[in-house]
């Protein structure tokens, strides 16, 4: 009796994205992906055998969602949405949930929490150390007793240092009013006022149950001794070259613990990056949680953290796909993606997780792997204006 072998077909992936070159304009343009980043993501997926199409998350995106759902197995979601939408970062996740399409990254509810710095702080509470803070709802907001000058004024719902300048750090009420006025002229939405911490800044990234090598910046040693990373510095891209890979295991554990608790506490999925800054005593405090960190190969921090562990860009992107597929396979019928070639993505994840040097770590009853630096991370090189 002949045995019929099911045909194997490629995994079909739609990359949901907002390109900076699409001409949306506005203050959040720095959050959009460069053409280089889109090409790199699509190339990495094709190198693992996927059939890939990029889908612009523009004003007509929802009219095309049904066709996207019929053509593709998975959506690789790196969209930022349009500036007029308060829930812009969660729209793709919500639409794909409605259509029953698998997608990478975090769900809509977790994305809404992470994109709002006020809600992030309220939701996490004391699980992760954080600076004293308040939301400025007027032009001359009262400050709670716990919040003493100097303070920093920043947007409550934007990333990529949008709206941040050196003058956002203020030491008196007159300067606070002026900083709030400048910020509100630049971006929409609420303003967050929090204690300014002058210590070292860190980033720590989560990939499944793996914590990648962390990076650090001491701005006091940066040319001109800026107080913080501002919008102009991020657009120039020069700051990225100065990030040092953390090799102190004890410090890596402390940063990892904070990153894990933020990631799990907000219910994020697959991967994230957490930004922290130390106080005068050296204790890292939460700045923000990036539910969808940038993936520019030669300019974003997540690929650099992966490279520090010896994980290639292609394996990083393919691992993100595998984490989403694995998560969805656990709750869908066994027939889902039957006959689809998934082995390259699982193999990429195994290389990232099992062929790196790791240290086991337990956080709140869950086991994680701290990936140790394999090689000294190389400078990014060219300036990066978009993620």
């Amino acid at each position: 009796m002949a045995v019929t072998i099911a045909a194997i077909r490629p995994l079909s992936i739609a990359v949901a994205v907002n390109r900076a070159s699409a001409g949306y304009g506005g203050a959040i343009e720095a959050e959009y992906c460069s053409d280089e980043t889109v090409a790199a993501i699509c190339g990495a997926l094709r190198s693992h055998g996927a059939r890939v199409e990029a889908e612009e998350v523009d004003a007509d995106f929802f009219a095309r969602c049904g066709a996207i759902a019929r053509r593709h197995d998975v959506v690789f979601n790196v969209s930022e949405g349009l500036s007029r939408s308060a829930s812009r970062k969660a729209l793709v996740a919500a639409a794909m949930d409605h259509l029953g399409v698998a997608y990478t990254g975090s769900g809509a509810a977790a994305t809404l929490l992470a994109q709002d710095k006020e809600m992030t702080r309220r939701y996490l509470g004391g699980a992760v150390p954080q600076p004293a803070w308040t939301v400025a709802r007027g032009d001359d907001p009262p400050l709670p007793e716990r919040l003493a000058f100097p303070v920093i004024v920043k947007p409550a719902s934007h990333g990529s240092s949008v709206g941040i300048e050196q003058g956002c750090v203020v030491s008196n009420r007159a300067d606070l009013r002026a900083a709030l006025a400048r910020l509100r002229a630049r971006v929409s939405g609420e303003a967050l006022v929090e204690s300014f911490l002058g210590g070292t800044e860190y980033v720590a990234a989560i990939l499944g149950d793996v914590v990648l090598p962390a990076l650090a910046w001491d701005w006091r040693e940066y040319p001109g001794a800026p107080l913080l990373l501002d919008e102009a510095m991020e657009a120039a891209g020069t700051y990225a070259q100065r990030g040092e890979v953390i090799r102190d295991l004890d410090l890596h554990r402390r940063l990892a613990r904070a990153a894990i608790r933020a990631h799990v506490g907000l219910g994020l999925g697959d991967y994230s990056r957490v930004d922290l800054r130390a106080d005068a005593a050296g204790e890292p405090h939460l700045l923000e949680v990036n539910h969808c960190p940038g993936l520019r190969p030669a300019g974003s921090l997540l690929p650099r953290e992966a490279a520090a562990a010896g994980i290639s860009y292609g394996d990083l992107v393919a691992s993100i796909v595998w984490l989403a597929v694995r998560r969805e396979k656990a709750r869908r019928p066994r027939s889902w993606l039957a006959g689809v070639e998934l082995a390259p993505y699982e193999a990429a994840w195994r290389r990232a997780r099992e062929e790196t040097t790791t240290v086991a770590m337990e956080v709140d009853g869950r086991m994680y792997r701290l990936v140790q630096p394999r090689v000294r991370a190389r400078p990014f090189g060219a300036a990066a204006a978009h993620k």
Side-chain angles (χ1 to χ4, degrees), residues 294-314:
L295 286 170
R296 182 165 184 161
S300 293
L301 301 178
L302 180 63
R304 184 179 181 187
E305 291 178 84
I311 300 169
S312 71
Y313 181 82

PDB file of all heavy atoms in Angstrom, residues 294-314:
ATOM      1  N   GLY A 294      13.295  47.912  18.263  1.00  0.00           N
ATOM      2  CA  GLY A 294      13.749  48.049  16.894  1.00  0.00           C
ATOM      3  C   GLY A 294      14.605  46.892  16.420  1.00  0.00           C
ATOM      4  O   GLY A 294      15.318  46.258  17.197  1.00  0.00           O
ATOM      5  N   LEU A 295      14.566  46.640  15.104  1.00  0.00           N
ATOM      6  CA  LEU A 295      15.300  45.519  14.505  1.00  0.00           C
ATOM      7  C   LEU A 295      16.209  45.973  13.369  1.00  0.00           C
ATOM      8  O   LEU A 295      16.528  45.175  12.492  1.00  0.00           O
ATOM      9  CB  LEU A 295      14.313  44.451  14.009  1.00  0.00           C
ATOM     10  CG  LEU A 295      13.649  43.599  15.093  1.00  0.00           C
ATOM     11  CD1 LEU A 295      12.525  42.769  14.500  1.00  0.00           C
ATOM     12  CD2 LEU A 295      14.676  42.703  15.775  1.00  0.00           C
ATOM     13  N   ARG A 296      16.624  47.228  13.378  1.00  0.00           N
ATOM     14  CA  ARG A 296      17.588  47.648  12.357  1.00  0.00           C
ATOM     15  C   ARG A 296      18.899  46.916  12.607  1.00  0.00           C
ATOM     16  O   ARG A 296      19.477  47.001  13.703  1.00  0.00           O
ATOM     17  CB  ARG A 296      17.811  49.151  12.406  1.00  0.00           C
ATOM     18  CG  ARG A 296      18.760  49.627  11.321  1.00  0.00           C
ATOM     19  CD  ARG A 296      18.708  51.118  11.123  1.00  0.00           C
ATOM     20  NE  ARG A 296      19.563  51.505  10.010  1.00  0.00           N
ATOM     21  CZ  ARG A 296      19.468  52.652   9.375  1.00  0.00           C
ATOM     22  NH1 ARG A 296      18.548  53.520   9.735  1.00  0.00           N
ATOM     23  NH2 ARG A 296      20.284  52.942   8.387  1.00  0.00           N
ATOM     24  N   PRO A 297      19.419  46.193  11.615  1.00  0.00           N
ATOM     25  CA  PRO A 297      20.591  45.337  11.860  1.00  0.00           C
ATOM     26  C   PRO A 297      21.804  46.088  12.378  1.00  0.00           C
ATOM     27  O   PRO A 297      22.521  45.590  13.245  1.00  0.00           O
ATOM     28  CB  PRO A 297      20.876  44.708  10.492  1.00  0.00           C
ATOM     29  CG  PRO A 297      19.593  44.805   9.745  1.00  0.00           C
ATOM     30  CD  PRO A 297      18.920  46.050  10.237  1.00  0.00           C
ATOM     31  N   ALA A 298      22.055  47.285  11.843  1.00  0.00           N
ATOM     32  CA  ALA A 298      23.271  48.006  12.190  1.00  0.00           C
ATOM     33  C   ALA A 298      22.991  49.239  13.035  1.00  0.00           C
ATOM     34  O   ALA A 298      23.791  50.149  13.077  1.00  0.00           O
ATOM     35  CB  ALA A 298      24.018  48.424  10.914  1.00  0.00           C
ATOM     36  N   GLY A 299      21.849  49.283  13.715  1.00  0.00           N
ATOM     37  CA  GLY A 299      21.568  50.468  14.502  1.00  0.00           C
ATOM     38  C   GLY A 299      20.695  50.249  15.710  1.00  0.00           C
ATOM     39  O   GLY A 299      20.647  51.097  16.592  1.00  0.00           O
ATOM     40  N   SER A 300      19.973  49.143  15.790  1.00  0.00           N
ATOM     41  CA  SER A 300      19.081  48.898  16.926  1.00  0.00           C
ATOM     42  C   SER A 300      19.783  48.086  18.003  1.00  0.00           C
ATOM     43  O   SER A 300      20.727  47.340  17.737  1.00  0.00           O
ATOM     44  CB  SER A 300      17.817  48.172  16.455  1.00  0.00           C
ATOM     45  OG  SER A 300      17.036  48.999  15.632  1.00  0.00           O
ATOM     46  N   LEU A 301      19.289  48.224  19.207  1.00  0.00           N
ATOM     47  CA  LEU A 301      19.963  47.623  20.351  1.00  0.00           C
ATOM     48  C   LEU A 301      19.708  46.126  20.480  1.00  0.00           C
ATOM     49  O   LEU A 301      20.598  45.375  20.886  1.00  0.00           O
ATOM     50  CB  LEU A 301      19.537  48.348  21.628  1.00  0.00           C
ATOM     51  CG  LEU A 301      19.853  49.848  21.646  1.00  0.00           C
ATOM     52  CD1 LEU A 301      19.339  50.486  22.930  1.00  0.00           C
ATOM     53  CD2 LEU A 301      21.341  50.093  21.474  1.00  0.00           C
ATOM     54  N   LEU A 302      18.507  45.663  20.147  1.00  0.00           N
ATOM     55  CA  LEU A 302      18.226  44.238  20.263  1.00  0.00           C
ATOM     56  C   LEU A 302      19.150  43.394  19.387  1.00  0.00           C
ATOM     57  O   LEU A 302      19.729  42.407  19.874  1.00  0.00           O
ATOM     58  CB  LEU A 302      16.756  43.960  19.936  1.00  0.00           C
ATOM     59  CG  LEU A 302      16.316  42.496  20.011  1.00  0.00           C
ATOM     60  CD1 LEU A 302      16.460  41.953  21.425  1.00  0.00           C
ATOM     61  CD2 LEU A 302      14.874  42.347  19.530  1.00  0.00           C
ATOM     62  N   PRO A 303      19.351  43.719  18.105  1.00  0.00           N
ATOM     63  CA  PRO A 303      20.316  42.943  17.316  1.00  0.00           C
ATOM     64  C   PRO A 303      21.728  43.003  17.863  1.00  0.00           C
ATOM     65  O   PRO A 303      22.478  42.030  17.771  1.00  0.00           O
ATOM     66  CB  PRO A 303      20.225  43.593  15.925  1.00  0.00           C
ATOM     67  CG  PRO A 303      18.870  44.180  15.869  1.00  0.00           C
ATOM     68  CD  PRO A 303      18.596  44.672  17.261  1.00  0.00           C
ATOM     69  N   ARG A 304      22.085  44.133  18.461  1.00  0.00           N
ATOM     70  CA  ARG A 304      23.431  44.205  19.026  1.00  0.00           C
ATOM     71  C   ARG A 304      23.564  43.306  20.238  1.00  0.00           C
ATOM     72  O   ARG A 304      24.593  42.643  20.431  1.00  0.00           O
ATOM     73  CB  ARG A 304      23.777  45.640  19.409  1.00  0.00           C
ATOM     74  CG  ARG A 304      25.219  45.733  19.902  1.00  0.00           C
ATOM     75  CD  ARG A 304      25.639  47.106  20.276  1.00  0.00           C
ATOM     76  NE  ARG A 304      27.041  47.084  20.711  1.00  0.00           N
ATOM     77  CZ  ARG A 304      27.650  48.109  21.227  1.00  0.00           C
ATOM     78  NH1 ARG A 304      27.016  49.246  21.376  1.00  0.00           N
ATOM     79  NH2 ARG A 304      28.910  48.021  21.610  1.00  0.00           N
ATOM     80  N   GLU A 305      22.558  43.277  21.088  1.00  0.00           N
ATOM     81  CA  GLU A 305      22.594  42.385  22.244  1.00  0.00           C
ATOM     82  C   GLU A 305      22.691  40.927  21.790  1.00  0.00           C
ATOM     83  O   GLU A 305      23.418  40.128  22.391  1.00  0.00           O
ATOM     84  CB  GLU A 305      21.363  42.607  23.116  1.00  0.00           C
ATOM     85  CG  GLU A 305      21.343  43.950  23.822  1.00  0.00           C
ATOM     86  CD  GLU A 305      20.082  44.153  24.626  1.00  0.00           C
ATOM     87  OE1 GLU A 305      20.024  43.680  25.782  1.00  0.00           O
ATOM     88  OE2 GLU A 305      19.144  44.792  24.115  1.00  0.00           O
ATOM     89  N   ALA A 306      21.947  40.586  20.737  1.00  0.00           N
ATOM     90  CA  ALA A 306      22.023  39.223  20.200  1.00  0.00           C
ATOM     91  C   ALA A 306      23.414  38.943  19.655  1.00  0.00           C
ATOM     92  O   ALA A 306      23.996  37.876  19.910  1.00  0.00           O
ATOM     93  CB  ALA A 306      20.972  39.028  19.111  1.00  0.00           C
ATOM     94  N   ALA A 307      23.981  39.903  18.918  1.00  0.00           N
ATOM     95  CA  ALA A 307      25.308  39.707  18.339  1.00  0.00           C
ATOM     96  C   ALA A 307      26.362  39.522  19.411  1.00  0.00           C
ATOM     97  O   ALA A 307      27.336  38.771  19.227  1.00  0.00           O
ATOM     98  CB  ALA A 307      25.663  40.893  17.448  1.00  0.00           C
ATOM     99  N   ALA A 308      26.187  40.181  20.553  1.00  0.00           N
ATOM    100  CA  ALA A 308      27.146  40.034  21.643  1.00  0.00           C
ATOM    101  C   ALA A 308      27.203  38.613  22.172  1.00  0.00           C
ATOM    102  O   ALA A 308      28.193  38.198  22.769  1.00  0.00           O
ATOM    103  CB  ALA A 308      26.801  40.999  22.783  1.00  0.00           C
ATOM    104  N   ALA A 309      26.114  37.871  21.952  1.00  0.00           N
ATOM    105  CA  ALA A 309      26.054  36.472  22.379  1.00  0.00           C
ATOM    106  C   ALA A 309      26.392  35.515  21.252  1.00  0.00           C
ATOM    107  O   ALA A 309      26.366  34.302  21.435  1.00  0.00           O
ATOM    108  CB  ALA A 309      24.667  36.154  22.913  1.00  0.00           C
ATOM    109  N   GLY A 310      26.696  36.050  20.057  1.00  0.00           N
ATOM    110  CA  GLY A 310      26.987  35.197  18.921  1.00  0.00           C
ATOM    111  C   GLY A 310      25.759  34.740  18.166  1.00  0.00           C
ATOM    112  O   GLY A 310      25.831  33.800  17.377  1.00  0.00           O
ATOM    113  N   ILE A 311      24.617  35.403  18.378  1.00  0.00           N
ATOM    114  CA  ILE A 311      23.379  35.059  17.682  1.00  0.00           C
ATOM    115  C   ILE A 311      23.270  35.943  16.446  1.00  0.00           C
ATOM    116  O   ILE A 311      23.296  37.173  16.554  1.00  0.00           O
ATOM    117  CB  ILE A 311      22.157  35.265  18.591  1.00  0.00           C
ATOM    118  CG1 ILE A 311      22.263  34.384  19.839  1.00  0.00           C
ATOM    119  CG2 ILE A 311      20.862  34.956  17.840  1.00  0.00           C
ATOM    120  CD1 ILE A 311      21.230  34.713  20.908  1.00  0.00           C
ATOM    121  N   SER A 312      23.133  35.340  15.276  1.00  0.00           N
ATOM    122  CA  SER A 312      23.066  36.105  14.042  1.00  0.00           C
ATOM    123  C   SER A 312      21.738  36.853  13.937  1.00  0.00           C
ATOM    124  O   SER A 312      20.749  36.488  14.583  1.00  0.00           O
ATOM    125  CB  SER A 312      23.223  35.188  12.836  1.00  0.00           C
ATOM    126  OG  SER A 312      22.071  34.372  12.666  1.00  0.00           O
ATOM    127  N   TYR A 313      21.717  37.871  13.102  1.00  0.00           N
ATOM    128  CA  TYR A 313      20.489  38.622  12.874  1.00  0.00           C
ATOM    129  C   TYR A 313      19.398  37.713  12.308  1.00  0.00           C
ATOM    130  O   TYR A 313      18.236  37.770  12.748  1.00  0.00           O
ATOM    131  CB  TYR A 313      20.759  39.779  11.912  1.00  0.00           C
ATOM    132  CG  TYR A 313      19.544  40.632  11.641  1.00  0.00           C
ATOM    133  CD1 TYR A 313      19.170  41.642  12.528  1.00  0.00           C
ATOM    134  CD2 TYR A 313      18.760  40.425  10.510  1.00  0.00           C
ATOM    135  CE1 TYR A 313      18.049  42.422  12.291  1.00  0.00           C
ATOM    136  CE2 TYR A 313      17.634  41.201  10.260  1.00  0.00           C
ATOM    137  CZ  TYR A 313      17.284  42.201  11.157  1.00  0.00           C
ATOM    138  OH  TYR A 313      16.173  42.970  10.925  1.00  0.00           O
ATOM    139  N   GLY A 314      19.754  36.863  11.355  1.00  0.00           N
ATOM    140  CA  GLY A 314      18.774  35.959  10.782  1.00  0.00           C
ATOM    141  C   GLY A 314      18.166  35.036  11.810  1.00  0.00           C
ATOM    142  O   GLY A 314      16.955  34.785  11.807  1.00  0.00           O
TER     143      GLY A 314
END
